[in-house]
Amino acid sequence: MKLYNSLSHEKEEFIPHEPGKVSMYTCGPTVYHFAHIGNLRSYIMEDALEKYLRYDGYDVKRVMNITDVGHLTSDADTGEDKMLKGAKREKKTVMEIAKFYTDAFFADCEKLNIKKPDVIEPATGCIPEFIQMVQGLLEKGYAYISGGNVYFDTSKLEKYYVFNNFEAEDLEVGVREGVEEDTSKKNKADFVLWFTKSKFEDQELKWDSPWGIGYPGWHIECSAISLKHNGEYLDLHCGGIDNAFPHHTNEIAQSEAYLGHPWCKYWFHILHLNTNSGKMSKSKGEFLTVSLLEEKGYDPIVYRFFCLQSHYRRSLVFSWEGLDNAATAYDKLIAKIAALDPAKKEPANADAEAAVRASFKEALDNDLNTSLAVTAVYDVLKAPISDAAKRQILGEFDAVLSLNLLKAADAKRAEAETDAPAGDSELIAKIEAMIAERAAAKKAKNYARADEIRAELSAMGVTLKDTPNGTEFTIA
Ligand code: AMP
Ligand code: ZN
């Protein structure tokens, strides 16, 4: 498989350290609020990557942290702990909101068919590991104590800005979000490994450490948790593109300084889901959640379909129209699969079956091109192969895509069979074909034809109802 590596800025052949095995790390959510559908775009694409690696035969171990302490409102270590901010907003304790939003995150993941990682580790459960790593960095001369905090000294590195060629002055980290700069830092890019002196004396969670009572910086969490569960050599690290700097840059700096050798081979970054007014973000306050999509009548899997239809390395603009189009396309796709009859006696066509499997694999082998993988699903339906083989292959593809292709089709079929008199599957298929033709006519702005089809259906005793998930029908 070829995967774009943010470190080399190139598509590279994916070769893990140990043949057949992949160690994978994903930055988990900061659990001070609901995940928005932008965050979930990242998790959907990471899920597709993990599942494709498994489909391709790898034994994957995926680790994810839960950030429940230390992520400040500015990624540059200034501002307030996001968790404390969330707790104040809801007049609850930090641990209460951490539990609530962690559960909410995994409930959303389940609705989107995002598999649970093999290891889920809340940062507050690994304080001894963070302290050990900070201590190691101090001993090796990569860290210093200043103004009560422990900082990583970026001037000790040959190359700090590994993902890009930024100049320190261009970045102005620390003043970016209008917060004062930390005068205890020796270099502008230095970052906090352990806070003891915080401007916020009400920081709720604090632990004893060799440097005084305090709490860990956000970046050290991911390095230490990954080391704990995936060892000294990590194959693949994932996250949204906003995490590349400073978070992942700092993870690399401290992990490699601590280990004394290169750490992670491949960096997989997902571009953002944007709204018309820019990046969707929790801190802006206004964002869309999975629950909101459900309230509006959308099946969350339609959002997954929407995401898979575009490449992870392109930013994706969310619009209701775009989601409606995905809902209509998804419904049509499921109707087509529901119309397959696996009991039909048809000859096997091994070459054509191999060709559709190959085009699916080719799409995903090329930097996880999920959009072309979805096209391969349509190719299966058009291929000169038996209905039974089509269902078999779609089931295989769905191990990666997780679009409930067979499950939703079977449910649709069962629903149609209970709604319609027994033996009427031909009639249902006819109605569905007419509905599809009407949708195509509407799309082509041929409203006269669309109305004509509605009238024909009405004469057959069929009533239509247009919903965000497509057109539903009832038979009189
Ligand atoms: P957070 O909960 O803020 O730590 O973010 C969780 C994940 O979502 C990280 O991998 C972020 O990089 C990613 N993320 C944040 N905003 C967006 C967005 N608008 N689109 C896609 N991914 C995002
Ligand atoms: Zn992280």
Side-chain angles (χ1 to χ4, degrees), residues 26-43 46 65 67 71 75 82 105 218 238-244 247-248 269-275 278-283 303 316:
T26 307
C27 290
T30 310
V31 284
Y32 70 110
H33 220 316
F34 290 108
H36 56 65
I37 60 170
N39 301 128
L40 291 161
R41 176 191 194 200
S42 287
Y43 294 111
E46 290 163 0
N65 71 306
T67 302
H71 191 175
D75 286 356
K82 291 187 181 191
F105 171 72
W218 172 39
C238 311
I241 190 69
D242 58 312
N243 280 170
H247 184 49
H248 293 161
H269 287 122
I270 302 104
L271 271 281
H272 283 147
L273 180 82
N274 294 324
T275 58
K279 178 196 161 203
M280 188 172 288
S281 79
K282 286 188 219 179
S283 52
Y303 179 63
L316 176 60

